[in-house]
Amino acid sequence: MSRIEKAVKFMIDIANDDSHGYSQLNRGGNPDYDCSSLVITAFSKAGFNVKNATYTGNMKNVFLRAGFKDVTKNVNLKSGSNLKRGDILLNEIYHVAVYIGDSKIVHARSDERGGIVGRLKGDQTGNEISITPYYLYRKGWDCVLRYEEKLDDEVLDRKGEVKKMTEKEKGYAVNAINDLAKKGMLNSPEVHKKNIDNSNWALWVMISKMNEKIDNK
């Protein structure tokens, strides 16, 4: 599972668990979050170096340093077209949400009274942290932050899982393993080939695709 997918899944799981609600008084995830702490926690747990972000006002700079790109110009903020799963929608003063695909976003919205304090633990309404249709935030989205996974769309499926190898790709992967072994860069090639389906073989897929491109030149 990709890091982006891990972050998205974390947020969806929190939204579906009413033991977590919205609170700015108790925003550390024990058990509640506010909008920014939820996003920061999700991406931090997924492996991104964003722990130094503390609120919407400093999220952009921290996430950019972690490898995210500002792709606001590529997105229609009114309709949400060209958004990708895992995109972060940020208003640097008021709010942040994450796009999860199918014209939906997940976000920590407000407490049980529609405010920000959140004195009662957990989600009292079922909507404090929730999945909603995409909308243009009333105070605007200042930017859209996106992290481009190093594994391309040919390697990952829509959910961010590594696709199953085709027989052709397996052949390229085996050849790549043999080549690496001949160069002294890989030990126990027979073990790798025997267990290729049970290991993290996305690397072999990428190598096989590189070989395929070279062969086709």
Side-chain angles (χ1 to χ4, degrees), residues 57-198:
N58 63 10
M59 284 182 67
K60 181 178 180 180
N61 288 336
V62 173
F63 276 71
L64 289 176
R65 288 197 296 270
F68 286 75
K69 304 295 183 184
D70 185 343
V71 297
T72 312
K73 293 181 180 180
N74 301 329
V75 173
N76 184 323
L77 294 177
K78 184 175 181 180
S79 67
S81 64
N82 294 328
L83 283 170
K84 292 185 177 181
R85 185 174 172 92
D87 283 354
I88 298 171
L89 299 150
L90 179 65
N91 179 296
E92 294 185 73
I93 299 177
Y94 297 106
H95 194 46
V96 63
V98 170
Y99 185 76
I100 62 171
D102 296 326
S103 298
K104 295 178 181 178
I105 58 176
V106 58
H107 49 155
R109 303 170 65 192
S110 61
D111 67 16
E112 65 277 2
R113 296 184 177 181
I116 63 174
V117 177
R119 297 184 185 281
L120 298 177
K121 292 183 179 181
D123 194 333
Q124 310 302 310
T125 66
N127 292 310
E128 294 182 33
I129 301 176
S130 61
I131 296 168
T132 66
Y134 171 80
Y135 65 96
L136 177 59
Y137 183 56
R138 66 183 185 279
K139 296 182 179 179
W141 299 120
D142 295 326
C143 65
V144 179
L145 303 177
R146 176 179 298 165
Y147 186 83
E148 296 288 356
E149 296 286 353
K150 293 182 180 179
L151 296 176
D152 61 26
D153 292 337
E154 294 182 12
V155 176
L156 297 178
D157 63 21
R158 291 182 63 187
K159 293 183 178 180
E161 300 286 355
V162 179
K163 293 179 181 178
K164 185 177 181 180
M165 277 187 179
T166 64
E167 290 303 314
K168 182 178 180 180
E169 287 171 332
K170 272 187 186 179
Y172 281 117
V174 169
N175 288 337
I177 291 171
N178 288 335
D179 289 341
L180 290 171
K182 288 179 181 179
K183 294 175 182 177
M185 300 174 65
L186 183 69
N187 295 322
S188 304
E190 295 305 318
V191 174
H192 286 287
K193 286 185 284 186
K194 181 179 179 180
N195 297 300
I196 194 168
D197 287 327
N198 299 321

Side-chain angles (χ1 to χ4, degrees), residues 190-214:
E190 295 305 318
V191 174
H192 286 287
K193 286 185 284 186
K194 181 179 179 180
N195 297 300
I196 194 168
D197 287 327
N198 299 321
S199 63
N200 184 6
W201 38 257
L203 176 61
W204 308 129
V205 177
M206 289 191 291
I207 292 174
S208 73
K209 290 184 181 298
M210 290 174 64
N211 288 342
E212 186 174 6
K213 289 178 182 178
I214 292 171

